[in-house]
Amino acid sequence: MGKMRRLLCLLLALLLLCIGAPQRAEAVKTLYFTAVDDMLLELDDETMPFWSDGRLYVAYTAISATNLGISCSRSQDKKTIILYRQRDALVFDLGAGTITDGDGNACEGAAILRGNMAFLPVGVICSYFGLVQSYSRTNYGYLVRIKSSMSVLPDITFIDAASSRMEQSYNQYMRLHEQSGESGQSDNNDELATNARRTAFVMIEAANEEHVRQILGFLNGRDERVTFVFTPERIRSAGDLVRQAAASGHAIALRADASAGADAALAYIEEGNRELWRCVNGKTRLIYLAGTGEEAAEELSEAGYCVIDCTLRFDQQISGASRGSQILAAADRRGGSCCVYLAEQGEASGTLGLLGYLRNVRCALVRLTELTA
C-alpha cells in the first residue's frame, strides 16, 4: 500500500513537471537563403532577405561583400548607401527614403533599415546594373539568388550542389533558435501561403469603381492581398481608388492590348506608369497583356517588364463555388498555386463570393510580385 502511494505521488510529480515545463520554441516558418552567382552566403537573421510591400529586400552586404563588380560606400553621417560601377551609380538615402541614379533621376522604392543593417530592393539593383534575380523554393526554405555574367550554374543545379551546405546551415540556425527560445522572422505573404493548403494569385480588372471599393472593403483589416489591374485611363479618372488600393498593400498591374504590336503596347504601358507616378509616386512592372503573342511578350520582357502568365481567366459571372472549384483544381495541378484573372463583372457579389469561398477552404489570397508573376 505504501509502495503504491509513493508510486502515485511520483507519477503526479512527473505530470506536474510536464505541465509546467516550457514548450519547445516554435521553429521559424520561412527561412531565406542568399546566394550571389555560385556562392551561398551565411544564413543569419541580421542579413536574411524579406518581403515588404510586394518587394524583395536583401542586405546591402550581399552586394558590397561579394564579387559582383559593384562597389559600395556607406555614410553613417549622411545616412546614404551608394552602389557604383564605372559611371553607373545608385544612391539610397535612408533618411529621405529615396533612390536616385547618378543623374539624379528618381527610382522606384526605398531602402529599409533594420537595426544597423540596411536592406535594398533587389529588383531595383538588378534592373539598374543588368543583373538577374531568382527566387526558388528549396527543402530548407527559399533561395534568393543574384546572378551576374560570372554565374555558371543554373538555379536547379546550384540548389542541388549547395544542398548539403544549406542543410548544415539550416540545422545550425534551428539549434541556435531552440537554445535562445526565438522563433525567427516571417513575412505575412509567405506565412499566409505556408499555413494554407493552396495559394491563389487573384487579379481583378479595375473597370468598375464601385466594384473595386466593395472588394477593398471586404479585404480591409485582413492579411489577404490581391492584384488590381488598371488601364491608364482608369488611373487618371479614379486616382483616389488607386491610392486606396496601393495604401492597403495590394499590387497594382497595368493592362495593355498588344494586338497592334509590342511598340504600341510599350507606349501605352509607359503612359500608364506616368499616370501611376503622378497618382502614388510609384510605378509597376507587372503587365497583363491582352491580344498578344509570345513575340510581343518577349519584347516587353526584354524592355524590363514582367508579363503575367495567368492560369485561368473568367469573363462571365458564375457562382463563387464553381469558379473556386476550378481554381483549386488548377492549383493542385500546378504544385499548389494558381494565378487567375477576373475580367469585368456585372456585380461585385460574384467576386466577393469567390473570395469568401477561397477563404473558407483555406486558399491563401496573395498579391503578385515580379518574382511570382
Side-chain angles (χ1 to χ4, degrees), residues 119-138:
F119 290 83
L120 312 178
V122 64
V124 174
I125 296 170
C126 290
S127 177
Y128 186 78
F129 288 105
L131 305 173
V132 176
Q133 61 179 352
S134 62
Y135 181 67
S136 307
R137 183 188 291 271
T138 75

CSV table of all heavy atoms in Angstrom, one decimal, residues 119-138:
chain,number,residue,atom,x,y,z
A,119,PHE,N,18.8,47.2,-45.8
A,119,PHE,CA,18.3,46.3,-46.8
A,119,PHE,C,17.9,47.1,-48.1
A,119,PHE,O,17.2,48.1,-48.0
A,119,PHE,CB,17.2,45.5,-46.3
A,119,PHE,CG,17.6,44.5,-45.3
A,119,PHE,CD1,17.7,44.9,-43.9
A,119,PHE,CD2,17.8,43.1,-45.6
A,119,PHE,CE1,18.1,43.9,-42.9
A,119,PHE,CE2,18.2,42.2,-44.6
A,119,PHE,CZ,18.3,42.6,-43.3
A,120,LEU,N,18.2,46.5,-49.2
A,120,LEU,CA,17.9,47.2,-50.5
A,120,LEU,C,17.0,46.4,-51.4
A,120,LEU,O,17.1,45.1,-51.4
A,120,LEU,CB,19.3,47.5,-51.2
A,120,LEU,CG,20.4,48.1,-50.4
A,120,LEU,CD1,21.6,48.2,-51.3
A,120,LEU,CD2,20.0,49.4,-49.8
A,121,PRO,N,16.1,47.0,-52.1
A,121,PRO,CA,15.3,46.3,-53.0
A,121,PRO,C,16.0,45.6,-54.2
A,121,PRO,O,16.6,46.3,-55.0
A,121,PRO,CB,14.3,47.3,-53.6
A,121,PRO,CG,15.0,48.6,-53.4
A,121,PRO,CD,15.9,48.5,-52.2
A,122,VAL,N,16.1,44.3,-54.2
A,122,VAL,CA,16.9,43.6,-55.1
A,122,VAL,C,16.5,43.8,-56.6
A,122,VAL,O,17.3,43.8,-57.5
A,122,VAL,CB,16.9,42.1,-54.8
A,122,VAL,CG1,15.6,41.4,-54.9
A,122,VAL,CG2,17.9,41.3,-55.6
A,123,GLY,N,15.2,44.0,-56.8
A,123,GLY,CA,14.7,44.2,-58.1
A,123,GLY,C,15.3,45.5,-58.8
A,123,GLY,O,15.6,45.5,-59.9
A,124,VAL,N,15.4,46.5,-58.0
A,124,VAL,CA,15.9,47.8,-58.5
A,124,VAL,C,17.4,47.7,-58.8
A,124,VAL,O,17.9,48.1,-59.8
A,124,VAL,CB,15.7,48.9,-57.4
A,124,VAL,CG1,16.4,50.2,-57.8
A,124,VAL,CG2,14.2,49.2,-57.2
A,125,ILE,N,18.1,47.0,-57.9
A,125,ILE,CA,19.6,46.8,-58.2
A,125,ILE,C,19.8,46.0,-59.4
A,125,ILE,O,20.6,46.4,-60.3
A,125,ILE,CB,20.2,46.1,-56.9
A,125,ILE,CG1,20.1,47.0,-55.7
A,125,ILE,CG2,21.7,45.8,-57.2
A,125,ILE,CD1,20.5,46.3,-54.4
A,126,CYS,N,19.1,44.9,-59.5
A,126,CYS,CA,19.3,44.0,-60.7
A,126,CYS,C,18.9,44.7,-62.0
A,126,CYS,O,19.6,44.6,-63.0
A,126,CYS,CB,18.5,42.7,-60.5
A,126,CYS,SG,19.2,41.6,-59.2
A,127,SER,N,17.8,45.4,-62.0
A,127,SER,CA,17.4,46.1,-63.2
A,127,SER,C,18.4,47.2,-63.6
A,127,SER,O,18.7,47.3,-64.8
A,127,SER,CB,16.0,46.7,-62.9
A,127,SER,OG,15.6,47.5,-64.0
A,128,TYR,N,18.9,47.9,-62.7
A,128,TYR,CA,19.8,49.0,-63.0
A,128,TYR,C,21.2,48.5,-63.4
A,128,TYR,O,21.8,49.1,-64.4
A,128,TYR,CB,20.0,49.9,-61.8
A,128,TYR,CG,20.8,51.2,-62.1
A,128,TYR,CD1,20.2,52.3,-62.7
A,128,TYR,CD2,22.1,51.3,-61.7
A,128,TYR,CE1,20.9,53.4,-63.0
A,128,TYR,CE2,22.8,52.4,-61.9
A,128,TYR,CZ,22.3,53.5,-62.6
A,128,TYR,OH,23.0,54.6,-62.9
A,129,PHE,N,21.7,47.5,-62.8
A,129,PHE,CA,23.1,47.1,-63.1
A,129,PHE,C,23.1,45.9,-64.0
A,129,PHE,O,24.2,45.3,-64.3
A,129,PHE,CB,23.8,46.7,-61.8
A,129,PHE,CG,24.2,47.9,-60.9
A,129,PHE,CD1,23.5,48.2,-59.8
A,129,PHE,CD2,25.3,48.7,-61.3
A,129,PHE,CE1,23.9,49.3,-59.0
A,129,PHE,CE2,25.6,49.8,-60.6
A,129,PHE,CZ,24.9,50.1,-59.4
A,130,GLY,N,22.0,45.5,-64.6
A,130,GLY,CA,22.0,44.4,-65.5
A,130,GLY,C,22.2,43.0,-65.0
A,130,GLY,O,22.8,42.2,-65.6
A,131,LEU,N,21.8,42.8,-63.7
A,131,LEU,CA,21.9,41.5,-63.1
A,131,LEU,C,20.6,40.8,-63.2
A,131,LEU,O,19.6,41.3,-63.6
A,131,LEU,CB,22.3,41.7,-61.6
A,131,LEU,CG,23.5,42.6,-61.3
A,131,LEU,CD1,23.6,42.8,-59.8
A,131,LEU,CD2,24.8,41.9,-61.8
A,132,VAL,N,20.6,39.5,-62.8
A,132,VAL,CA,19.4,38.7,-62.9
A,132,VAL,C,19.1,38.1,-61.5
A,132,VAL,O,20.0,37.7,-60.7
A,132,VAL,CB,19.7,37.5,-63.8
A,132,VAL,CG1,18.4,36.5,-63.8
A,132,VAL,CG2,19.9,38.0,-65.2
A,133,GLN,N,17.9,38.2,-61.1
A,133,GLN,CA,17.5,37.7,-59.8
A,133,GLN,C,16.6,36.5,-59.9
A,133,GLN,O,15.9,36.3,-60.9
A,133,GLN,CB,16.7,38.8,-59.0
A,133,GLN,CG,15.4,39.2,-59.7
A,133,GLN,CD,14.7,40.2,-58.9
A,133,GLN,OE1,15.0,40.5,-57.7
A,133,GLN,NE2,13.6,40.8,-59.5
A,134,SER,N,16.6,35.6,-59.0
A,134,SER,CA,15.7,34.4,-59.0
A,134,SER,C,15.3,34.2,-57.5
A,134,SER,O,16.0,34.5,-56.6
A,134,SER,CB,16.4,33.2,-59.6
A,134,SER,OG,17.5,32.8,-58.9
A,135,TYR,N,14.2,33.5,-57.4
A,135,TYR,CA,13.6,33.2,-56.1
A,135,TYR,C,13.0,31.8,-56.2
A,135,TYR,O,12.1,31.5,-56.9
A,135,TYR,CB,12.4,34.2,-55.9
A,135,TYR,CG,11.7,34.1,-54.5
A,135,TYR,CD1,12.4,34.3,-53.3
A,135,TYR,CD2,10.4,33.7,-54.5
A,135,TYR,CE1,11.7,34.2,-52.1
A,135,TYR,CE2,9.7,33.6,-53.3
A,135,TYR,CZ,10.4,33.9,-52.1
A,135,TYR,OH,9.7,33.8,-50.9
A,136,SER,N,13.7,30.9,-55.5
A,136,SER,CA,13.3,29.4,-55.6
A,136,SER,C,13.0,28.8,-54.3
A,136,SER,O,13.6,29.1,-53.3
A,136,SER,CB,14.5,28.7,-56.3
A,136,SER,OG,15.0,29.3,-57.5
A,137,ARG,N,12.1,27.9,-54.3
A,137,ARG,CA,11.8,27.1,-53.1
A,137,ARG,C,12.8,25.9,-53.0
A,137,ARG,O,13.1,25.3,-54.0
A,137,ARG,CB,10.4,26.5,-53.2
A,137,ARG,CG,9.9,25.7,-52.0
A,137,ARG,CD,8.6,25.0,-52.2
A,137,ARG,NE,7.5,25.9,-52.3
A,137,ARG,CZ,6.8,26.4,-51.3
A,137,ARG,NH1,7.1,26.0,-50.0
A,137,ARG,NH2,5.8,27.2,-51.4
A,138,THR,N,13.3,25.7,-51.8
A,138,THR,CA,14.2,24.6,-51.6
A,138,THR,C,13.6,23.7,-50.4
A,138,THR,O,12.6,24.0,-49.9
A,138,THR,CB,15.6,25.1,-51.2
A,138,THR,OG1,15.6,25.6,-49.8
A,138,THR,CG2,16.1,26.2,-52.1
